[in-house]
């Protein structure tokens, strides 16, 4: 026996579609409202009818009791008014003294046990199914009468509740008969309204299903208004925009990477083919003087009597291979940074010390390289990545500087940040190009050859490293050349950190 089976059976009873669930919920809500409201109406109306009947019955009894207090009563009383059926008067022993209906002894025996409590002058009771009343329900009220000369009298008044029962019965039938149409109407309205509300969702789903890798430009329809469906459509379109941009960047990246890797490989191949062709010439090996045969390591004459291009070709091939290796390493680093793999919170790093070490590794540069760092500039991160960021910024500055490059590391106490700045006095970067320089494989100088201009990945890698450490890298305005500024949050607990502000890094930053 399987326990989940009944649950699956119960699940089938509940509609699977949103329209069906909305209609069922509306029908259930209407049924609950009708049940609660109808029951309340039935109870209130019945109680009101009973109160009215009891009031009329008591009034008729008190009128006769007033006559009994004033003097002797006739044996046959006049018929009561206001819908009261019978009035009769009994003595303390239960004997009929006066009545509005002849042969009232059966009623007297049925009413004899009902007497007012001590200290009270009236009492009432609803009698049901009494043979004296013909099996009908009736409201009986007794009032004590105390004539001045004589013993007490008890005046009884009876009102048969047929009218009350008929009215409440009609109300119950009306509620029961009207409930199903009202429930069906509520379900139909909910079905129609939900269908209208979900029509844009259906259009969004249909259009979204048509989005493929070759049709990323498709967008879902944006319904007018500011409801949740319109917000969903705008969110989906924004997501599709980001997806299209990401795919476009990825495709452009693959194309640029293929181009960057293809050129060095083609150069290596051509140079090696030239070297092999030169080594295969007949005059390259024949008629060497005695003792001056070819060098087996290079296939060139040992004495150098024949010009051999193999050494230069191999050196050029090696240079292109090294460049190819650097490009591949940069692409791998970018891929790792894009992956956002979690690697912990990092280690303590001093940016001032990093700047000094970078300058020490470059003792002889094309232009002077100076470091300005009066105080330690602490942060948390990965030393290797931060060294790469600084090296890329310095390489870029040295490539374009006219006479100097300056590296600064300091604390921005107002912002609670550690700042690393690299400035040069070169031609600078135009304002409309300050974001483009951080794109991958971008060279602002189209005429610059790839050997002197780099691969176009250095600044892109530097910005990704800055973002991975929760910081930023921008081209700052001002100065005679380019000034690139990297900002990083201070480590938690540092005196310069702003109160209530904690260091935050992107997921998988380090």
């Amino acid at each position: 026996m399987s326990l989940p089976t009944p649950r699956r059976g119960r699940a089938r009873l509940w509609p699977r579609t949103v329209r069906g669930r909305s209609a069922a919920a509306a029908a259930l809500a209407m049924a609950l409202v009708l049940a609660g409201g109808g029951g309340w109406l039935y109870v209130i109306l019945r109680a009101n009818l009973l109160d009215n009947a009891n009031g009329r019955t008591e009034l008729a009894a008190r009128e006769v009791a007033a006559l009994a207090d004033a003097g002797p009563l006739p044996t046959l009383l006049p018929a009561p008014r206001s819908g009261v059926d019978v009035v009769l008067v009994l003595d303390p022993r239960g004997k009929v003294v006066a009545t509005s209906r002849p042969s009232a002894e059966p009623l007297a025996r049925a009413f004899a046990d009902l007497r007012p409590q001590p200290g009270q002058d009236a009492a009432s009771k609803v009698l049901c199914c009494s043979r004296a009343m013909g099996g009908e329900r009736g409201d009986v009220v007794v009032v004590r009468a105390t004539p001045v000369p004589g013993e007490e009298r008890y005046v009884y008044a009876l009102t048969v509740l047929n009218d009350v029962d008929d009215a409440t019965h009609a109300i119950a039938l009306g509620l029961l008969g009207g409930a199903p149409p009202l429930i069906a109407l509520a379900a139909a309205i909910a079905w129609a309204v939900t269908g209208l509300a979900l029509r844009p969702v259906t259009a969004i789903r249909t259009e979204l299903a048509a989005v493929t890798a070759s049709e990323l430009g498709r967008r879902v329809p944006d319904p007018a208004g500011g409801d949740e469906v319109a917000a969903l459509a705008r969110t989906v379109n924004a997501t599709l925009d980001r997806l299209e941009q990401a795919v476009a960047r990825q495709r452009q990246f693959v194309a640029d990477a293929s181009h960057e890797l293809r050129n060095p490989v083609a150069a290596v191949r051509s140079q090696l083919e030239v070297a092999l062709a030169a080594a295969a010439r007949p005059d390259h090996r024949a008629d060497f003087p005695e003792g001056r045969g070819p060098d087996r390591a290079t296939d060139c004459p040992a004495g150098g009597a024949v010009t051999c291009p193999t050494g230069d070709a191999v050196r050029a091939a090696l240079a292109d291979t090294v460049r190819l290796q650097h490009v591949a390493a940069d692409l791998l680093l970018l891929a790792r940074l894009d992956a956002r793999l979690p690697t912990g919170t990092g280690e303590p790093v001093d940016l001032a010390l990093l700047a000094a070490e970078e300058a020490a590794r470059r003792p002889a540069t094309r232009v002077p390289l100076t470091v300005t760092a009066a105080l330690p500039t602490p942060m948390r991160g990965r030393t290797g990545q931060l060294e790469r960021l600084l090296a890329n910024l310095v390489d870029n500055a040295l490539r374009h500087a006219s006479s100097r490059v300056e590296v600064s590391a300091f604390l921005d106490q107002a912002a609670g940040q550690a700042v690393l700045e690299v400035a040069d006095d070169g031609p600078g970067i135009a304002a409309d190009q300050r974001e483009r320089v951080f794109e991958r494989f971008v060279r602002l100088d189209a005429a610059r050859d790839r050997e002197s201009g780099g691969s176009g990945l250095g600044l892109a890698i530097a910005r990704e490293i800055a973002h991975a450490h929760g910081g930023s890298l921008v081209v700052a305005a001002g100065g005679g050349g380019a000034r690139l500024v990297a900002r990083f949050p201070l480590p938690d607990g540092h005196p310069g950190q702003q109160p209530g502000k904690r260091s935050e890094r992107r997921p998988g930053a380090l």
Side-chain angles (χ1 to χ4, degrees), residues 141-505:
V141 176
V142 56
V143 175
R144 181 184 292 111
T146 55
V148 176
E151 57 184 356
E152 291 182 345
R153 299 287 187 269
Y154 296 96
V155 181
Y156 294 86
L158 168 66
T159 300
V160 178
L161 299 178
N162 288 339
D163 294 341
V164 175
D165 293 340
D166 292 342
T168 55
H169 184 68
I171 293 173
L173 290 179
L175 292 175
L176 293 177
L182 291 176
I183 293 174
L185 178 62
I189 293 175
W191 178 273
V193 171
T194 306
L196 292 176
L198 292 179
R199 185 176 297 172
V201 177
T202 303
I204 292 173
R205 179 183 59 82
T206 303
E207 190 66 23
L208 193 59
V211 176
T212 61
S214 60
E215 297 185 10
L216 288 176
R218 300 178 69 105
R219 294 296 180 267
V220 302
D222 187 356
D227 57 4
E228 291 81 357
V229 177
L232 173 64
R234 287 190 284 270
T235 302
V236 170
N237 283 334
T239 302
L240 290 176
D241 289 338
R242 293 193 297 270
L243 178 62
E244 184 180 16
Q245 294 171 5
V247 172
R249 287 195 300 267
Q250 184 69 19
R251 290 173 176 172
Q252 185 63 40
F253 178 74
V254 171
D256 292 340
S258 175
H259 181 73
E260 292 291 332
L261 295 177
R262 182 175 55 192
N263 288 345
V265 171
V268 169
R269 178 178 178 179
S270 62
Q271 292 169 8
L272 292 179
E273 287 177 349
V274 170
L276 291 175
R281 291 201 307 269
D283 60 350
H284 187 64
R285 297 175 181 271
D287 300 327
F288 290 115
E290 184 178 355
R292 299 176 65 84
D295 185 354
R296 295 303 178 186
T298 61
D299 284 335
C300 290
V306 179
T307 302
C308 181
T310 307
D312 293 337
V314 171
R315 281 191 292 274
L318 178 60
D320 282 333
T321 304
V322 170
R323 181 168 174 269
L324 176 62
Q325 183 181 16
H326 288 167
V327 172
D330 289 346
L331 293 177
L332 179 60
L333 178 57
L334 279 173
R336 289 176 176 173
L337 291 172
D338 288 340
R340 302 281 183 258
L341 298 176
T343 56
T345 59
E347 57 193 6
V349 179
D350 186 356
L351 295 181
L353 181 60
L354 251 65
E357 291 175 348
E358 182 65 24
R361 282 193 291 268
R362 302 171 185 260
T365 55
R366 185 179 63 84
V367 297
L369 174 63
T370 60
V371 176
T372 302
L375 296 173
T377 309
M379 63 168 290
R380 292 191 69 86
R382 293 183 66 83
T383 303
Q385 292 186 4
L386 294 172
E387 288 177 348
R388 179 62 185 277
L389 178 149
L390 179 57
N392 288 1
L393 296 183
V394 172
D395 287 340
N396 180 77
L398 290 174
R399 188 178 298 117
H400 300 96
S402 298
S403 61
R404 64 178 177 83
V405 173
E406 183 177 354
V407 180
S408 304
F410 57 91
L411 293 177
D412 187 348
Q413 299 288 352
Q417 294 175 329
V419 183
L420 183 64
E421 183 177 302
V422 179
D424 64 70
D425 61 349
I429 302 175
D432 59 345
Q433 300 291 328
R434 289 175 182 170
E435 283 298 317
R436 186 167 176 265
V437 295
F438 295 106
E439 297 178 4
R440 301 172 184 185
F441 297 112
V442 168
R443 299 176 180 83
L444 297 184
D445 187 359
R448 184 189 307 142
D449 60 44
R450 295 182 183 273
E451 295 294 338
S452 62
S455 64
L457 293 174
L459 293 183
I461 292 175
R463 171 168 274 192
E464 289 296 331
I465 292 175
H467 288 172
H469 286 76
S472 62
L473 175 61
V474 297
V475 179
R483 187 161 62 96
L484 284 85
V485 181
R487 293 178 174 270
F488 304 96
L490 294 176
D492 295 337
H494 189 274
Q497 188 181 32
Q498 293 181 349
K501 183 176 182 179
R502 299 182 60 83
S503 300
E504 296 183 357
R505 295 182 174 85

Side-chain angles (χ1 to χ4, degrees), residues 21-39 175-176 178-190:
R21 292 173 183 173
S22 299
L28 180 60
M30 179 59 74
L32 292 177
V33 169
L34 290 176
L175 292 175
L176 293 177
L182 291 176
I183 293 174
L185 178 62
I189 293 175

